Amino acid sequence: MDEGGTRTDEGRISRVDRGSVCVLLPAAGPREEPVELTIATGRDGTLPAVVGDPLHPAVGDRVVLDGDRTLVAPRTSELARDGSDRTSVEQVIAANVDVVVIVEHLEPAPSLGRLERMLTIAWRSGAIPLVVLTKADLVSDAAHWVTEAGAVAPGVGVVAISASTGAGLDELEAQLGEAQTLVLIGPSGAGKSTLVNALAGADVMVTGVVRGDGRGMHTTTHRQLVPLPGGRLLIDTPGLRSVGIVATEAAVAATFEDIAALVELCRFNDCAHEREPGCAVVAALDAGELSERRFESWRKLQREARRQAARADHRAAAEQRQQGRVHARLVREAYRVKGRR
């Protein structure tokens, strides 16, 4: 209850639809089920925030229901990707998550470049990444790929599992530890929905088949928050056909920790890592200690992150100019009114 005696409930946004959101309220008692409410959003799709301007709600947002008002609480983490157009507008995939579970299939062979892109997004979110390699029962070299994935994900846990047989699920639970909110990201056909069902202990998500070319079908068509046994919450997401970068240089450095360490050893602070004398990166390439693939992936993600930052700066400057024009118009109108008096 608040000071006025009005009941105040706190919940999590479990789904975002056009014009409304679903809010999951926790069960009031041990024998009761969680309650899901549908709340209308504003005409622009936003909800008022506890602090600051209205927000476009995201799955995982914490909300406060105070009388007839629904307020979005400040976010502790924000998993976002670049929009599909050329603007700097971000698409928030999930909010307030503790662990970003990056799901990559072992059959067909995993893409290390895709792992690096998703790791960069995960590090930028403020949550902890965890790599899960699925369909371990379909391959004989799962241990090899755990090693390969670990090499491109320094400091990140890597687990190979089979959701259909249960192999590796105990290790996955140990890696998750005390995390209360998870989000699964990965390509279509990686087995995310099957993994959700395995963690939930029931068929809560529809699963599909993988086509003959190894590409998966979109069985999840929207982001959805799923309660798991023990009170944990999981956000399942549609498969990502492409991964647009929304990252800081710090997030790229966290993904490529090995290369960031080499950069610190270069003789010159402005080293371009081409053929400058004393370049530790080139030396590692020449010695075979750093692969050309990983080096090029690092350079590409750095360029994308810088372009994203430049677009964000341009958009902020355009908004500032627009605000200036509005302010100038209001000042002119005020002077005209004053002159007529």
Side-chain angles (χ1 to χ4, degrees):
M1 296 271 184
D2 63 16
E3 294 180 357
T6 303
R7 176 173 174 175
T8 301
D9 288 317
E10 294 185 359
R12 301 288 293 272
I13 291 180
S14 59
R15 177 168 170 166
V16 177
D17 295 313
R18 179 172 294 181
S20 66
V21 297
C22 291
V23 175
L24 188 70
L25 299 178
R31 295 186 179 181
E32 298 183 19
E33 294 293 325
V35 176
E36 195 167 62
L37 304 176
T38 299
I39 307 293
T41 58
R43 290 185 177 181
D44 58 354
T46 64
L47 286 174
V50 172
V51 179
D53 297 329
L55 291 173
H56 286 278
V59 175
D61 266 328
R62 293 184 174 90
V63 296
V64 178
L65 277 63
D66 189 1
D68 59 353
R69 300 188 307 161
T70 302
L71 307 175
V72 181
R75 293 167 177 165
T76 57
S77 64
E78 185 180 86
L79 182 71
R81 60 176 293 179
D82 196 3
S84 57
D85 54 20
R86 294 184 179 181
T87 70
S88 61
V89 177
E90 300 175 3
Q91 179 187 16
V92 179
I93 298 173
N96 302 311
V97 298
D98 304 312
V99 175
V100 179
V101 180
I102 300 168
V103 184
E104 180 72 19
H105 46 63
L106 287 169
E107 176 59 36
S111 166
L112 298 180
R114 182 166 55 220
L115 271 179
E116 289 163 340
R117 297 179 72 82
M118 291 190 290
L119 280 163
T120 303
I121 292 175
W123 280 124
R124 187 264 188 186
S125 73
I128 301 299
L130 172 65
V131 176
V132 175
L133 304 176
T134 60
K135 306 184 182 181
D137 57 311
L138 301 182
V139 300
S140 59
D141 56 352
H144 162 76
W145 283 113
V146 168
T147 301
E148 290 291 305
V152 302
V156 176
V158 180
V159 183
I161 70 161
S162 168
S164 58
T165 68
L169 291 180
D170 288 343
E171 184 182 353
L172 173 57
E173 284 288 347
Q175 290 276 358
L176 292 174
E178 299 298 319
Q180 290 300 301
T181 305
L182 324 173
V183 61
L184 270 57
I185 61 172
S188 299
K192 296 189 300 298
S193 295
T194 304
L195 177 55
V196 173
N197 291 340
L199 292 174
D203 291 338
V204 296
M205 301 298 291
V206 177
T207 59
V209 298
V210 177
R211 303 192 311 223
D213 59 3
R215 296 176 62 185
M217 304 293 287
H218 285 280
T219 55
T220 300
T221 58
H222 57 273
R223 288 178 282 277
Q224 180 176 340
L225 185 145
V226 179
L228 298 180
R232 185 178 282 160
L233 299 173
L234 184 149
I235 300 172
D236 190 24
T237 64
L240 301 179
R241 289 189 183 276
S242 61
V243 186
I245 285 295
V246 175
T248 61
E249 289 195 46
V252 176
T255 300
F256 296 88
E257 187 180 272
D258 50 341
I259 300 181
L262 290 172
V263 170
E264 292 295 319
L265 299 177
C266 290
R267 181 183 302 176
F268 303 109
N269 293 333
D270 59 349
C271 184
H273 316 299
E274 294 177 352
R275 282 296 161 186
E276 293 88 348
C279 177
V281 175
V282 171
L285 285 168
D286 291 342
E289 298 168 356
L290 174 64
S291 71
E292 191 71 31
R293 186 211 65 79
R294 184 157 171 81
F295 174 69
E296 290 301 328
S297 180
W298 170 67
R299 284 200 141 173
K300 181 178 180 180
L301 292 183
Q302 275 196 323
R303 289 193 298 268
E304 289 190 40
R306 288 167 183 166
R307 281 197 298 269
Q308 172 69 23
R311 289 201 304 272
D313 288 343
H314 177 76
R315 182 167 178 263
E319 290 176 350
Q320 190 173 23
R321 289 194 298 271
Q322 177 62 22
Q323 290 172 1
R325 286 192 289 267
V326 171
H327 176 71
R329 187 179 71 248
L330 293 174
V331 169
R332 289 194 300 269
E333 290 176 355
Y335 273 108
R336 280 198 296 269
V337 171
K338 185 178 179 180
R340 289 196 295 267
R341 289 179 179 173

